[in-house]
Amino acid sequence: MSSELSARARPAQVVFYNDPKFRSIAYQLVLCAVVAFLVYGAASNAIENLARSHIASGFGFWKETAGFDISQTLIQYSPRASTYGRAFWVGLLNTLLVAGLGIIFATILGFGVGISRLSRNWLLAKVAGGYVETIRNLPLLLQLLFWYNAVLKALPDIRESIVIPGGAFLNNRGFFLPLPVSKSGFGAVEIALLAGILGAVAFYVWARKRQERTGQQAPVLWVALALVFGLPLVVFALAGFPLGFEFPQAGRFNITGGIEVLPEFLALLFGLSIYTAAFIAEVVRAGILAVSRGQSEAAYSLGLRPGPTLRLVVIPQAMRVIIPPLTSQYLNLTKNSSLAVAIGYPDLVQVFTGTVLNQTGQAVEVVAITMLVYLVISLVTSLLMNIYNSRMALAER
Amino acid sequence: MTTAEGNLAVAELAFVRWTSIAPRPPPAAMAGALGWLRENLLSTPFNIVLTVIIVLLLAWAIPELVKFLLIDAVWSGTDRDACLEFVQHREIGACWPFVWERLPYFIYGSYPIPDRWRVDVFFAMLAVGIVWLLWLNAPRRDLGAIYFFVILPIASFILLTGWAAIGLRPVDTVLWGGVLVTIVVASVGIVVSLPLGILLALGRRSRMPAVRLLSVIFIEFVRGVPLVTVLFMAGVMLPLFVPEQLSPDKLVRALVGIAIFASAYMAEVVRAGLQAIPKGQHEGAMAVGLRYWQMMRLVILPQALKVTIPNIVNTYIGLFKDTTLVFIVGIFDLLRTIEVARIDPKWATPVTSTTGYAVAAIFYLIFCYGMSRYARAMETRLAKSDRR
Amino acid sequence: MNVAGNHGSLLKPANLNTAVAVELVDVNKWYGDFHVLRDINLKVMGGERIVICGPSGSGKSTMIRCINRLEEHQSGHIFIDGVELTADLRKIDEVRREVGMVFQHFNLFPHLTVMDNCTLALIWVRKMPKKQAEEVALHYLERVKIPEQASKYPGQLSGGQQQRVAIARALCMNPKIMLFDEPTSALDPEMVKEVLDTMVELAHDGMTMLVVTHEMGFARQVASRIVFMDEGQIVEANVPEEFFAHPQHERTKLFLSQILR
């Protein structure tokens, strides 16, 4: 009796190829072998092909002279003296500039349109809805080309520039603005601005503490605005308006002086902002709708007015839902800025993967570096987003 | 009754309504069009101001649009003179003769004229496939899937590239252009990205570390970089990685780039759908004795895909718009053909560019908006079927 | 039969004052073309506990939501403690400070702790210093018997606990009138009792209450009057003993036969 049981108690012998663990390892080994084989094959082909076309390898090109001009440079750059490496940084800064400004404009516009879609005013809601539906269903490239070719390039040329009061010119070569030049005494205004910001923060902290102690509320927003904007303005006036402008001078064939904003930059900025704003509007709308109506009803029935209800109850909850997809849209905007290559704005892709790649022929290195830059931006943002999400998760049982 | 009751008499405590009150219509100020106006547009002073501003804006914008597209538009002519203001002595809107003349180019690109029937057959076959798959009451939709994902690609490839053996003259992809290229790129992306995306999603959820690692690396890498760089990578690096004889032509390179990109995004969409399936489904399938691929094919994937159809369609809409980026690697999709055509000196007028972009806008609006309506209809249908 | 004097055998009719707490006069409301409240007339004295029952769609929730202006009535008058409720924002604020409401789905603020849920209105509406607000909140949390949960978040509490926090939150504002919109309908059966017990204690202390509910046991125990609504009208109202023992109207009889087993 017991021997039968013990015989049955021993685990059955499994044929090795049916053992799931063996299979799993076998599959993985096969997969790795296939991938390794493909990588090896690709690499050896690449080496062979590159050698045949006499294209260099390695990153030596970084220190070579660029020899081409870039139409917008935020840092010092000269075609004869600067290196390809320098060109990389110029392109990267241009990308960050247009992406940064685009994010700001898209956010403002997107929040406005998103909130408008939920408005009680039927007309406003429908117009906002129409904007979102139309923009989201048209390719970004089409919108960029439209802005660049049909709008900005259709502006009059230099001699018939549109004159904007205040000393600015608008024509098909760009937007020419007066360049602010700080005169002596402007330092005081800068200090005043800093003082205003610090003062606003200090006032906010003081007001909060006082509210906790005595329950009295203070008009924090107005005081902060007054400090941040008013104080510098007052100092500015007292110091005798220490700000000069270098006005663009319209010559016969050219405009000299002032700030020149390229039409390529403007087209990319408009296109990216308007396009991404439509997506942000949907994110904002979904976030606000995610907060159930019962929340504001509970707040109203406690006696809270709509303003504080929004501020203390609805928006904090809505932001939890809004921020993850919002950062995803910011990332999309940054990646979409690479479409600059279609209209000639000198962003990272246009300068580096365009001109530099053409001149050096080192496709693998150039494309790899470009992709690495975007990858780093994406991964860092994802990481920060994950940290934010885990910290903001509502505590549950 | 004690005085503590206050003023409530005994009689007031008990009450019975013997005659029922019939429903009445709401008061005039509230009802009908006037009431709706007051409620929605004029409820507060701020609202009134807003309404006025918007009405003024629309009163300017809509007539301008109608004027450009229809009223001031030119409908016939042979060259730029038909659309120039100082020749016609009137305000000019859209230059439609430009579109009529170049329409074949916008649709077929430079595809040889005697062979354009093959493109038409391709469009027809594609339409049949789409209707078969999307119309929910169509018969034998499983056959439709095989048609769409297997037969159609093979047949289209032969039709469009040609096969001398059966009398179809080979046509180099360099000659393809316009709507043909847009539809080909979008279709290939759609057809390839779903199966590949499913594989990647399953790989990412796999318990085998090597499989999961490779899937994650692939997905996160492709999703972290712009499509432009993926296309450049496919465009310049692909010829380097393959031996000289197999050097792929430009269209194929772009297709590879688009397919890779779309698959990574589709993988995440499918993965979300898989995560929505409760573990009980896996357990039930395994308890019945199904093996991994059977379980996936018969139980898990049908449910996962059904749940994420709206998201899948949204990804397809994005893919359709992204096909325009092949422009940047030199492929002549619809946008690029319009770009080439609008700078033709024969039609150089101030309105040519806008007219061209209007054509592109109409095309994309129809397709993308159509797809989004379908997605929304599917969403409501799914929601209904889940309600008990 | 002692109709008037015995409003629930367990309760003394304590603190019934002579003031009219809530009065609805010929109140009508439409949702678009749908006549949802028809000629509602109701007078509630201070200290009364009114239980409102009826089939779904009868307008019971709509009626009490009109009392704190979560819904607007189109014709008729509503008086809370003598103040008429109109579109005047100041009047609405006044009314909302005197009227507390407890919802079917609790509507606690999930991003704030239990303590913060209770002190939010005290700090921002009554402008109380934080310490004082927390003392008030703790006092009411003790009354609903969950002071130890003060630093937890709503998501960490059971349904019954959440609803009791909701009651405490409403009580913190020291309302004269409490509205309850089906407070136990969303609770698991084992948690209904703890919430009803809390409401019974509240009634003990003389709070004027209007309760929309299907809990007839609670009604029998505590209600001074039961109001039955159907199709937007008050069909029948009476003291609990008469209401359950001798319902007059056909519809009342039908409704009672459906919910009482």
Side-chain angles (χ1 to χ4, degrees), chain B residues 317-331:
Chain B
I317 296 176
L319 174 59
F320 197 81
K321 291 186 297 175
D322 285 340
T323 60
T324 51
L325 266 70
V326 298
F327 175 122
I328 297 177
V329 286
I331 309 288

Side-chain angles (χ1 to χ4, degrees), chain B residues 39-62:
Chain B
E39 175 79 16
N40 289 317
L41 296 180
L42 308 170
S43 50
T44 71
F46 177 69
N47 248 344
I48 296 178
V49 170
L50 209 58
T51 306
V52 166
I53 295 179
I54 295 181
V55 167
L56 286 176
L57 217 77
L58 289 177
W60 169 81
I62 295 184

Side-chain angles (χ1 to χ4, degrees), chain B residues 379-388:
Chain B
E379 238 174 306
T380 44
R381 206 165 187 275
L382 286 172
K384 259 189 270 182
S385 70
D386 281 342
R387 257 183 258 146
R388 256 164 281 202

